[in-house]
Structure formats: C-alpha cells, structure tokens
Amino acid sequence: MKSEYSQLKEYMDQSNKTVAVTGAGISYLYGVSRLKQSVGRLNAGRIFSASYVRKNPEEFYKVMQNAFLDATFVKGPSTVHKQLAELEKQGKLYGIVTQNLDCLHTIAGSQNVVEFQGSFRDNICTDCGSRYYDYQIWNEGHEPRCEKCGAPLMPTSFCRDFKTGEEVSRESMYKAAAMISEADLVIVIGTTGFRSNEYLSRMRKETKLVQINPSETQFDRMADLNIRADAAQVLDAVMDGYLPGNS
C-alpha cells in the first residue's frame, strides 16, 4: 500500500466522524454530462423556469436525459459511489456532501446524503406547486407529470419561478455546512470546489482535509494530504481493512 494510502487509512481509523465531499469527477467520467454541455446554446436562466418547462416539457426532459438520466438509470452507480456506500455501512463514513444532482449516491445505498444543489429526489409541479419526493418518476421514459393537474414536473431546486426553489437551495446548503461543521475528517473526491466556500467555511481548524483527485484544484494548498490517483483505486486499497473478512 502506498504511503499516502496508509496515511488516509490512519486518518479514517482515528476519525469519529468522516464526511466525503464529492463532485462531478465521480460521475462525469462515468457518463453523466456537465449540465452546461447538455444545455448547449439554451440559456440556463430560461430553461430552469416553470414557465419554460410547462411550454417545452419534452425538450426539458431531453436535456435532463442527456445530462443525467441515461447514466443514472441505465449505467447506475459507479465503483466510487458503491465504495462510499459500503464505507457508510461499515460505520467508517458519517455522510456525503455532494454537488451532484444525479442521485447516484442514494441509488448506490448511501443513507446520509446532502445534495446542496438539489436533485431529482425533490420535484415540484410547474403549475400547482405540488411536491413529489421520488427520483423514480424520472425513470419512466418520458417527462413526469403532476397527478393533480397534469402539468410537467421539474426538480424543485431548479425552479426559478417559485420561492420554494430558493428555500430548498438555502436549506440544502445549510445542511451541507452543518454536516461539515461536525466532521473531524473531510475527504474531497472528484471536485474542484464548486461553491465550497459556502460549506467549508464551517469546517473546524483541527479537522483534517484529504483530497483525492488526479488533477490540481483549489484544495491543494489547504489539504493535509493530497492523493493524485483514481478514487476507486485509493478507496479499494483503504477499504481492505474494513470489509468483512479483512478486519
């Protein structure tokens, strides 16, 4: 085992509350596109509105399908998603803070997940405002519709028309900051730090920060340990001591 892997395992063994922070890196290379690439020429401020989705439900669904849904429901969780879920199951990971919208952590089996940009688990009707808490409504091959009025649904945090969307976004970021404030070890995986100042500012001075990323990011100078390797490889090596039969 490489020395940095041993150091990470030591940090985890000593930690009472480890939190993973994940970003597009663990999903992007697996087939989930960055949203801006899927939107293309469309203006994000225009497409993420209830009025736009009501008028163009099929187009909105295709954008979501290209960006997330195909990879989420056809390919399913990646190795890293599954490893993090296993670490939580083994009691070595307290929770996950993620910028990702794809619900892959939940599908992999993780229980304590904060999606600070929202996700497809929380949806709102673009007409009557009814809420639907189920990502599976996006797995039916067409845009989801409200059972009450028939209008198309969209992720609540995406919605710019209702105050509810803003409230959900603020609440999600508050939960992310609260989780980070409780951690004594934070492991950053596959993210360059999108909106990280909004939650990492709550991290205690004595909390260890480990980054697993093949590329340089803004976390390099603040991390106690930088591991330049594929996250699946790192976690596989570290988990050997935690999995049944290897303790």
Side-chain angles (χ1 to χ4, degrees):
M1 180 183 289
K2 292 184 178 180
S3 59
E4 60 264 30
Y5 294 7
S6 299
Q7 183 65 72
L8 174 57
K9 186 178 184 301
E10 182 178 328
Y11 283 160
M12 295 183 72
D13 287 342
Q14 296 172 349
S15 171
N16 292 315
K17 190 165 286 188
T18 299
V19 172
V21 174
T22 67
I26 69 167
S27 295
Y28 180 60
L29 296 178
Y30 192 66
V32 176
S33 301
R34 289 184 171 90
L35 189 57
K36 290 183 179 179
Q37 293 178 339
S38 298
V39 171
R41 294 169 301 164
L42 295 172
N43 182 281
R46 178 168 58 93
I47 194 171
F48 295 143
S49 68
S51 57
Y52 180 87
V53 176
R54 277 199 305 271
K55 295 176 182 178
N56 306 278
E58 293 182 2
E59 184 172 354
F60 179 78
Y61 177 76
K62 288 180 181 178
V63 170
M64 297 300 100
Q65 190 174 35
N66 291 335
F68 310 108
L69 303 181
D70 283 348
T72 295
F73 295 117
V74 176
K75 291 187 176 181
S78 69
T79 299
V80 176
H81 292 104
K82 295 175 183 177
Q83 288 170 323
L84 292 175
E86 182 63 35
L87 283 170
E88 182 183 14
K89 182 180 178 181
Q90 296 295 321
K92 294 298 181 179
L93 185 68
Y94 172 68
I96 297 171
V97 169
T98 185
Q99 72 184 60
N100 299 336
L101 314 167
D102 48 42
C103 295
L104 285 171
H105 283 300
T106 299
I107 295 172
S110 294
Q111 299 295 313
N112 194 14
V113 182
V114 176
E115 299 150 325
F116 65 78
Q117 289 198 96
S119 73
F120 294 94
R121 289 198 290 178
D122 183 352
N123 303 280
I124 191 168
C125 174
T126 56
D127 191 9
C128 72
S130 296
R131 301 282 289 279
Y132 293 82
Y133 301 95
D134 182 7
Y135 63 82
Q136 288 291 352
I137 63 176
W138 293 93
N139 191 25
E140 298 178 355
H142 56 80
E143 72 276 5
R145 295 271 178 171
C146 178
E147 296 177 354
K148 296 180 181 178
C149 70
L153 306 179
M154 67 185 299
T156 304
S157 60
F158 285 20
C159 187
R160 306 286 175 83
D161 298 66
F162 300 134
K163 185 178 180 181
T164 306
E166 297 177 1
E167 292 173 346
V168 168
S169 296
R170 285 196 298 270
E171 181 181 353
S172 297
M173 185 56 75
Y174 175 81
K175 289 179 179 179
M179 184 181 288
I180 292 295
S181 71
E182 298 176 359
D184 54 20
L185 173 63
V186 174
I187 304 175
V188 178
I189 305 173
T191 178
T192 57
F194 177 72
R195 296 182 67 184
S196 60
N197 60 306
E198 297 182 53
Y199 56 85
L200 285 184
S201 61
R202 294 285 301 279
M203 188 173 71
R204 294 174 293 169
K205 291 183 179 180
E206 63 270 23
T207 297
K208 298 289 186 182
L209 178 65
V210 175
Q211 176 181 223
I212 304 174
N213 200 321
S215 305
E216 294 182 1
T217 75
Q218 68 178 40
F219 296 112
D220 287 12
R221 288 180 291 180
M222 63 184 298
D224 295 280
L225 176 65
N226 281 299
I227 303 179
R228 300 284 189 224
D230 176 76
Q233 172 187 330
V234 176
L235 294 179
D236 184 55
V238 172
M239 287 172 65
D240 281 346
Y242 301 143
L243 296 178
N246 294 307
S247 56

